[in-house]
Amino acid sequence: MGQKILIRTPNHLGDCVMALPMINEAREAYPGASITILTPEHLQELFHRNPGVDKILTIPSSHVHGVMAIFKIKEIIAPHNFEIGFILPPSFGAASGFKLAGIKERIGYIADGRRLLLSKPLPLPTPLNSEHRSTIYFDLLRRGSGKELEYVKPKLFLDEEDGRQGMELLSGYGIKEDDNYAVVAFRAVGESRRWGIDNYTELSRRLIDQFEMKVVLVGSSADRENGEEIIVGAGNGRIANLAGKTSLRELAAICANAEVFVGNDSGPAHLAASVGIPIVVLSGADDPKETSPISSQKRLIYRDTLECISCVKNKCPMKGDDAMRCMKEIAVDDVVLQIHELLGIA
């Protein structure tokens, strides 16, 4: 019987997509092994129908963080007698749960004072944040297993049922399977990464008028009100506000059938990249060399001449005219030009 391997995923959508190369190739490193994923329950859909995953264990949302999460994770995984555990989150708690559960070989990066909790502690690349996070996750598998593995970019596995469900949802908003549409993620979680509702309103208008596309707005339920503002501001019925209305797989399927995705460096952007469509990413406070979606069909709009660029702060520390320059200096014309070039439209 093959080895029983457990992989603790990251806690956020974008990071989980960046971890897909590592997860998808785990069986290549351990032929014949049984691969189980331990992930927050709201992210489990991401790993459904993945041929590299045999089983998914979920962590309740109330036990993803904190001291009690350590004991909950032990409770979840201990009965399965895993032999090898890969711990992708860099936290002390994530490693503690694996230690308490009795997993003999615990592989993770040295961080958060957890070296003694790991049986195979690996140093992070230096200088810190010098490599893309997806590569760092993949190297944990490569170095932990001692196997020479070829990195393959993130890929989400969708099937016909996913496509059917995505198009069924769109049809309720007047978008048919043969319609050309753009997916727009119009509001970042971090205040410092927001391009602005006025800009996205004008972009939506241009996508409709210049590119003859419909527009699908995506985001969380908290974004829905802003999505309605865009529809009113654009004054056009060719916009569907799906913020808070999609599951992860529905969102991925809707992206997979789109002409282009536009948004900031976010979970939806990573999801769009993983299904192979052209993407335009607006980058500012984030650090693209570390976290930008991986795609051969990507255009990155990034004011790299600014001294404060890639501050990785959720709230801009600058004041007055200098505040949010990384977003303010991205014009709608800049985005439209990148879409033209990316799609090969004269």
Side-chain angles (χ1 to χ4, degrees):
M1 185 176 177
Q3 294 171 300
K4 297 178 69 176
I5 296 173
L6 178 65
I7 301 172
R8 168 65 162 94
T9 77
N11 295 325
H12 303 286
L13 174 57
D15 279 87
C16 276
V17 174
M18 288 188 278
L20 283 174
M22 182 270 186
I23 292 166
N24 293 347
E25 294 298 310
R27 208 186 310 278
E28 182 72 18
Y30 297 93
S34 171
I35 309 296
T36 298
I37 298 299
L38 177 65
T39 193
E41 59 185 357
H42 68 283
L43 295 171
Q44 62 176 301
E45 279 186 59
L46 196 65
F47 308 103
H48 289 177
R49 301 166 193 159
N50 187 319
V53 175
D54 295 299
K55 188 172 182 179
I56 301 170
L57 299 177
T58 61
I59 307 169
S61 299
S62 58
H63 287 84
V64 172
H65 304 287
V67 174
M68 294 308 297
I70 297 171
F71 299 100
K72 185 64 176 179
I73 288 173
K74 175 197 171 185
E75 176 187 315
I76 293 169
I77 66 179
H80 298 275
N81 299 312
F82 293 108
E83 299 161 80
I84 301 173
F86 284 91
I87 309 161
L88 274 59
S91 68
F92 183 91
S96 298
F98 277 48
K99 172 74 171 178
L100 290 176
I103 298 178
K104 184 177 180 180
E105 189 170 349
R106 302 174 305 282
I107 303 168
Y109 285 115
I110 300 168
D112 203 27
R114 65 183 195 169
R115 179 194 289 264
L116 295 179
L117 296 173
L118 302 170
S119 63
K120 189 176 285 189
L122 299 173
L124 282 160
T126 53
L128 289 177
N129 306 324
S130 60
E131 293 186 19
H132 197 280
R133 198 171 297 170
S134 183
T135 303
I136 291 173
Y137 290 145
F138 189 79
D139 279 347
L140 191 64
L141 175 67
R142 186 156 45 195
R143 295 163 65 188
S145 67
K147 301 287 181 63
E148 287 298 322
L149 303 168
E150 182 179 354
Y151 176 87
V152 179
K153 67 183 181 180
K155 179 181 179 181
L156 181 66
F157 293 91
L158 298 174
D159 62 14
E160 290 182 4
E161 178 62 15
D162 292 314
R164 185 193 66 75
Q165 290 180 355
M167 292 315 302
E168 187 176 286
L169 181 59
L170 280 181
S171 68
Y173 290 82
I175 297 178
K176 301 174 183 177
E177 190 168 356
D178 57 353
D179 284 338
N180 292 332
Y181 62 87
V183 173
V184 177
F186 58 92
R187 189 173 183 272
V189 174
E191 181 183 319
S192 63
R193 305 180 190 201
R194 294 175 187 166
W195 192 39
I197 298 305
D198 289 345
N199 283 328
Y200 278 115
T201 298
E202 177 60 23
L203 176 64
S204 297
R205 194 181 291 121
R206 300 274 290 274
L207 285 165
I208 293 166
D209 294 341
Q210 291 181 225
F211 294 90
E212 298 182 346
M213 293 182 191
K214 293 185 177 181
V215 175
V216 177
L217 304 176
V218 300
S220 70
S221 56
D223 304 330
R224 187 158 184 80
E225 186 175 335
N226 288 135
E228 293 302 310
E229 290 180 37
I230 292 173
I231 291 175
V232 172
N236 197 302
R238 292 167 63 87
I239 304 175
N241 181 10
L242 267 64
K245 298 294 184 180
T246 63
S247 67
L248 283 182
R249 297 191 75 81
E250 286 170 341
L251 175 55
I254 288 167
C255 286
N257 200 46
E259 298 298 310
V260 66
F261 170 95
V262 182
N264 67 299
D265 180 348
S266 62
H270 284 272
L271 206 59
S274 75
V275 296
I277 66 163
I279 63 173
V280 177
V281 179
L282 284 60
S283 185
D286 54 277
D287 186 351
K289 72 176 181 295
E290 183 188 4
T291 61
S292 189
I294 297 173
S295 171
S296 58
Q297 302 181 80
K298 178 180 74 176
R299 292 300 178 96
L300 181 70
I301 302 179
Y302 180 61
R303 299 295 181 246
D304 58 359
T305 57
L306 294 174
E307 291 184 5
C308 59
I309 199 70
S310 297
C311 69
V312 299
K313 298 181 184 297
N314 286 329
K315 187 170 184 178
C316 181
M318 309 299 282
K319 305 296 181 183
D321 292 340
D322 289 329
M324 294 285 290
R325 284 182 62 195
C326 59
M327 291 287 102
K328 288 178 182 176
E329 293 188 8
I330 298 175
V332 175
D333 282 343
D334 298 329
V335 180
V336 170
L337 175 62
Q338 293 303 322
I339 296 172
H340 270 292
E341 294 183 354
L342 189 58
L343 300 184
I345 299 173

